[in-house]
Amino acid sequence: MKILEVKDYSELSKVAAEIFAAEIIHNPKIVLGFATGSTPIGMYQELIKKYNSGIISFEECQSINLDEYCGIGKDNKQSYTYFMHEKLFSKIDIKEKNIYIPNGLNENIKEECDRYDKIIKELGKIDIQILGIGNNGHIGFNEPGTKFSGNTTQVKLTANTIEANKRFFDKKEEVPKKAYTMGIKGVMNSKKILLLASGINKSNIVYKMITGDITPTIPASILQLHPNVILVADEEALKKLKSAFPEKIKKINEK
Ligand code: GLP
């Protein structure tokens, strides 16, 4: 894992967008893996700026998202489909037909998971996958305990995740209890992973993910085994790792 330490969220957003944009310029027909959560929002804003300046175009890109809440549709402001359109897709030239996000309204779990896995298979490998990390180490919505070999699945969100995500809803009771998520297998199949972490409340999980055992208890720990992960993290998110293992960061940086 390559660790890029940046000063703050603003720098994180710029650096992540640079890395992402370079991939699009290199391969305009790229398969992009998008994530939600608050962390990538700044990066999406930087990508929009690059698109507006004519530096990048998404016209030929395919895009696939990690996850979606169950029980809410694309017109619901809390859905990840709405989020992606609001924060990015409506402001760039990506074609609607090239956007893939699980359908949270499909109550037939097997049908929806099979449909999404078929899309993942047909798209081929994701060229670059953006990831955030949950406080409990989840990636996408792969909660602690998820099998590393898993495909798309419907998950029951943990109390920790519901608590962390309630800030996007008017009331905690409104946070959906279930979600569809691409499995860890799909994430690990990506050619490159750009993992983003910002703020002091990510410091503990970043430390555990990098220095701890590779265990389903911390789903993100599997990323230690991926050959091409770039962690872009700010000083606060790297605080614990740096104070406990300054040499380790150096070593990782040297990789
Ligand atoms: C949600 C998403 C994850 C995201 C996580 C962290 O649970 N399903 O993909 O990584 O939130 O969000 P944030 O970036 O807001 O901390």
Side-chain angles (χ1 to χ4, degrees):
M1 188 181 298
K2 187 171 170 189
I3 300 183
L4 297 181
E5 185 187 16
V6 291
K7 195 174 175 320
D8 53 20
Y9 183 69
S10 163
E11 201 188 333
L12 176 146
S13 303
K14 288 187 185 127
V15 168
E18 289 288 340
I19 295 170
F20 206 74
E23 296 282 331
I24 299 171
I25 292 165
H26 177 69
N27 174 14
K29 294 189 176 169
I30 194 166
V31 179
L32 304 169
F34 286 111
T36 54
S38 51
T39 313
I41 294 176
M43 174 195 156
Y44 295 160
Q45 286 166 352
E46 294 296 328
L47 287 176
I48 293 165
K49 282 188 207 159
K50 290 187 191 302
Y51 163 70
N52 285 336
S53 328
I55 297 170
I56 49 171
S57 163
F58 296 80
E59 211 181 351
E60 295 180 275
C61 300
Q62 306 272 343
S63 90
I64 181 144
N65 263 75
L66 287 169
D67 47 13
E68 178 60 285
Y69 287 117
C70 290
I72 58 178
K74 60 180 175 113
D75 297 329
N76 186 311
K77 288 193 173 178
Q78 314 298 349
S79 75
Y80 283 168
T81 310
Y82 191 98
F83 173 102
M84 285 309 302
H85 282 82
E86 190 198 23
K87 305 289 182 213
L88 183 66
F89 296 154
S90 66
K91 299 182 170 122
I92 56 174
D93 60 349
I94 194 159
K95 294 195 173 117
E96 195 61 41
K97 71 175 175 66
N98 291 338
I99 295 171
Y100 301 100
I101 305 181
N103 175 8
L105 289 181
N106 191 349
E107 290 177 3
N108 185 330
I109 301 169
K110 184 170 179 341
E111 183 186 271
E112 184 56 21
C113 294
D114 288 351
R115 182 188 77 86
Y116 215 59
D117 282 332
K118 189 162 173 266
I119 292 168
I120 294 169
K121 201 168 169 202
E122 284 171 3
L123 284 176
K125 280 184 185 286
I126 295 168
D127 290 290
I128 181 162
Q129 174 68 55
I130 303 294
L131 282 186
I133 180 167
N135 293 326
N136 61 3
H138 74 227
I139 45 177
F141 265 136
N142 291 287
E143 296 280 35
T146 311
K147 270 196 242 150
F148 286 148
S149 57
N151 288 313
T152 301
T153 181
Q154 188 192 61
V155 294
K156 198 169 169 283
L157 301 178
T158 61
N160 177 302
T161 298
I162 291 174
E163 189 61 32
N165 288 4
K166 74 175 185 196
R167 65 191 194 278
F168 298 109
F169 294 79
D170 290 337
K171 287 190 250 150
K172 186 175 163 183
E173 296 70 50
E174 286 176 14
V175 184
K177 307 284 179 290
K178 290 178 183 169
Y180 284 119
T181 185
M182 183 189 292
I184 291 184
K185 189 171 158 191
V187 174
M188 287 298 280
N189 260 330
S190 309
K191 288 187 195 162
K192 185 182 262 189
I193 293 174
L194 191 53
L195 174 63
L196 310 178
S198 171
I200 198 70
N201 67 339
K202 295 290 167 75
S203 172
N204 197 31
I205 195 63
V206 165
Y207 167 82
K208 279 197 196 165
M209 167 193 79
I210 292 172
T211 63
D213 291 343
I214 297 167
T215 162
T217 314
I218 312 270
S221 63
I222 190 69
L223 299 175
Q224 292 179 32
L225 296 182
H226 191 283
N228 197 358
V229 178
I230 303 175
L231 167 64
V232 185
D234 60 20
E235 285 173 6
E236 290 199 334
L238 286 176
K239 201 165 179 181
K240 186 161 179 182
L241 186 65
K242 269 174 86 179
S243 63
F245 294 107
E247 334 73 35
K248 192 166 176 94
I249 282 202
K250 215 171 165 200
K251 267 190 213 144
I252 296 166
N253 270 329
E254 281 167 1
K255 264 191 195 174

